[in-house]
Amino acid sequence: MTNVAVIGSQWGDEGKGKVVDWLSERAHVVVRFQGGHNAGHTLVIDGVTYKLSLLPSGIVREGKLSIIGNGVVIDPYALFSEIETIGKLGVKVTPDNLRIAENAPLILPVHRHVDHMAETTRGKGKIGTTGRGIGPAYEDKVARRAIRVCDLADEDILRDKIQNLLVYHNALLKAAGAPAMTVDEILKPLLDIAPKILPFATPVWLLLHTLKRDGKRILFEGAQGALLDVDHGTYPYVTSSNTLAGAATVGAGVGMNSIGYVLGITKAYTTRVGSGPFPTELHDAIGAKIGKIGNEFGTVTGRPRRCGWFDAVLVRQTVKIGGISGIALTKLDVLDGFETIKICVGYKHDGKLYDYLPASMKIQAEVEPIYEEMPGWSESTHGKRSWAELPAQAIKYIRRIEELIECQVALLSTSPKREDTIMVHDPFVD
């Protein structure tokens, strides 16, 4: 058996929540290793819908240990709001089933203020941030002025670190004409919430080492998608963390040999929320139809997602960059009934052909997709649970995707229900 990392292979919203929940049945531990509460994972279990942003998807399963790693930035108020929400749905969260890295950085109210201010001043160049303070919190981490979970245990250290942090952020707020924040505005709420969060704090790196030594199967759950990676995504229209599987080792404190299989969650078409390049985006009735059938609205923001045809060029690129071993193809049923389906197999720009997406902002914004057309299928794939039940043309579409992205399909999802999953091979088996 091996440990598995799950990442999105596109711009997020690929259906990671359901797949992680499905895989968690085979795992003992589920670990979030990057991002913040800008992630949105929707799970449908026994008719009950759970919408998670910060908590690992394994939290809704009894007997599973969920871990928030040091690579995650944590808004403590959002965390306990989420805990309260799922508590009303019957999920009890205690230190027995949730652990939080003691060295994880916190998102503070000042981060949200600065985030909103920065996005507003960008005007037409808006990145599409959720405004939840994720980026500024990561900036503070890199600048070595972050407040971490362990700091909540010492009021003197906490006060000193807040003073240092506000020297920087109040200068930005003042420059924007916004009111400065005081130390007590941040300190008092943190002292109030400290007794609630500290019981969950632990040296996660040590815990994971022990769990691995004891033969426990670990599932590393990524947030967002590979094309939003701060290094390898469509910069600057990206998130503020590394979203590839390599980030799991740093964001959880485990060695590179701790991950044996990388599963890339891949939607059967392409979507994106917010600003940024999108070569296969459809601005016509077909795009609107895909969005309507697929219920393409952000779990966190509620914003409608931009929709387009499957982009094999981008997924092939993320397969290589992300070290993806196999993909979980989701939402195939959304394409039921389309007479013709297109797949992007290359780009052209200024007379030049590309089999990858260049890093240049200008080229990314201007490339034209080169499409290959395939016949669609009229039969329904919704809820199918075996390969034999799939229409022949749907199988051809899947096989063509495998050829183009140079990666095999490991799982196939045919509805939001966890049971409607076809396993081609088990990622947990070497």
Side-chain angles (χ1 to χ4, degrees):
M1 305 299 286
T2 188
N3 298 322
V4 176
V6 174
I7 64 172
S9 70
Q10 295 155 308
W11 279 293
D13 308 309
E14 302 97 346
K16 292 183 291 298
K18 172 200 164 168
V19 175
V20 170
D21 173 61
W22 191 85
L23 289 171
S24 68
E25 190 172 58
R26 293 163 176 77
H28 301 101
V29 186
V30 182
V31 186
R32 271 285 307 274
F33 59 85
Q34 51 77 219
H37 62 308
N38 54 344
H41 295 168
T42 301
L43 314 177
V44 181
I45 302 170
D46 297 329
V48 180
T49 300
Y50 303 89
K51 294 188 176 183
L52 306 177
S53 294
L54 191 55
L55 292 168
S57 296
I59 199 69
V60 301
R61 291 288 171 190
E62 287 189 21
K64 309 297 179 182
L65 176 62
S66 291
I67 293 176
I68 298 177
N70 58 274
V72 178
V73 285
I74 301 170
D75 183 324
Y77 315 105
L79 172 64
F80 284 100
S81 174
E82 191 170 322
I83 289 174
E84 181 181 354
T85 297
I86 67 169
K88 294 175 181 177
L89 296 174
V91 180
K92 187 176 181 180
V93 179
T94 73
D96 291 331
N97 63 351
L98 176 67
R99 302 291 181 85
I100 299 172
E102 61 183 2
N103 55 336
L106 299 177
I107 299 173
L108 307 174
V110 68
H111 293 134
R112 293 193 296 273
H113 293 327
V114 171
D115 202 357
H116 281 293
M117 177 196 71
E119 186 74 342
T120 300
T121 57
R122 289 187 184 106
K124 293 182 179 179
K126 287 183 178 180
I127 293 173
T129 171
T130 58
R132 299 187 173 214
I134 312 291
Y138 273 118
E139 287 180 44
D140 278 351
K141 175 182 177 178
V142 175
R144 294 162 291 187
R145 56 175 172 259
I147 308 297
R148 303 189 297 174
V149 172
C150 56
D151 296 327
L152 299 178
D154 191 311
E155 183 176 346
D156 291 335
I157 289 178
L158 191 56
R159 181 180 291 276
D160 288 344
K161 294 190 75 169
I162 293 172
Q163 287 176 334
N164 177 61
L165 179 145
L166 287 181
V167 169
Y168 175 78
H169 287 296
N170 277 340
L172 294 179
L173 292 172
K174 181 180 179 181
M181 295 196 70
T182 67
V183 171
D184 285 340
E185 280 182 274
I186 296 174
L187 178 62
K188 188 179 184 307
L190 285 179
L191 291 176
D192 290 342
I193 206 167
K196 295 177 67 176
I197 194 171
L198 286 173
F200 294 91
T202 194
V204 158
W205 66 270
L206 182 58
L207 174 60
L208 286 171
H209 172 78
T210 302
L211 292 166
K212 181 187 173 188
R213 182 197 62 196
D214 293 344
K216 302 299 184 183
R217 290 190 296 276
I218 304 170
L219 184 61
F220 297 90
E221 178 183 14
Q224 290 89 39
L227 295 173
L228 293 175
D229 184 272
V230 70
D231 283 299
H232 296 286
T234 48
Y235 193 89
Y237 303 99
V238 293
T239 194
S240 301
S241 60
N242 287 110
T243 59
L244 303 176
T249 62
V250 178
V254 297
M256 292 178 64
N257 62 350
S258 296
I259 301 173
Y261 192 99
V262 179
L263 182 67
I265 314 303
T266 308
K267 197 176 284 186
Y269 48 97
T270 312
T271 63
R272 178 166 200 168
V273 170
S275 306
F278 186 169
T280 65
E281 183 174 11
L282 296 169
H283 300 279
D284 56 12
I286 294 177
K289 181 180 178 181
I290 292 174
K292 183 178 180 180
I293 297 173
N295 192 30
E296 295 296 350
F297 297 91
T299 300
V300 171
T301 64
R303 291 181 292 185
R305 297 175 186 140
R306 300 154 64 190
C307 298
W309 294 119
F310 186 84
D311 193 328
V313 180
L314 285 180
V315 177
R316 182 173 62 243
Q317 189 164 322
T318 60
V319 163
K320 297 180 185 305
I321 294 170
I324 293 174
S325 313
I327 68 167
L329 192 66
T330 65
K331 289 200 166 186
L332 180 69
D333 56 305
V334 173
L335 298 180
D336 292 351
F338 281 84
E339 186 175 334
T340 302
I341 296 174
K342 295 183 180 181
I343 303 176
C344 176
V345 297
Y347 305 127
K348 55 185 177 181
H349 179 267
D350 199 20
K352 185 176 180 179
L353 300 179
Y354 292 91
D355 61 357
Y356 69 98
L357 186 65
S360 163
M361 284 180 63
K362 177 179 172 59
I363 296 178
Q364 287 185 355
E366 297 177 354
V367 292
E368 296 178 45
I370 300 171
Y371 285 118
E372 178 179 293
E373 292 191 6
M374 296 185 68
W377 54 91
S378 57
E379 308 97 316
S380 173
T381 64
H382 185 82
K384 303 303 182 187
R385 299 182 183 179
S386 72
W387 199 258
E389 293 180 86
L390 297 175
Q393 196 56 50
I395 294 175
K396 289 181 182 179
Y397 179 68
I398 295 167
R399 293 306 188 202
R400 185 55 179 150
I401 285 176
E402 289 180 318
E403 292 174 356
L404 290 169
I405 67 172
E406 300 173 14
C407 188
Q408 61 185 344
V409 171
L411 300 174
L412 184 67
S413 172
T414 57
S415 93
K417 296 180 180 178
R418 71 186 304 274
E419 297 84 3
D420 295 338
T421 304
I422 301 170
M423 182 170 69
V424 182
H425 66 263
D426 191 342
F428 279 114
V429 179
D430 258 326

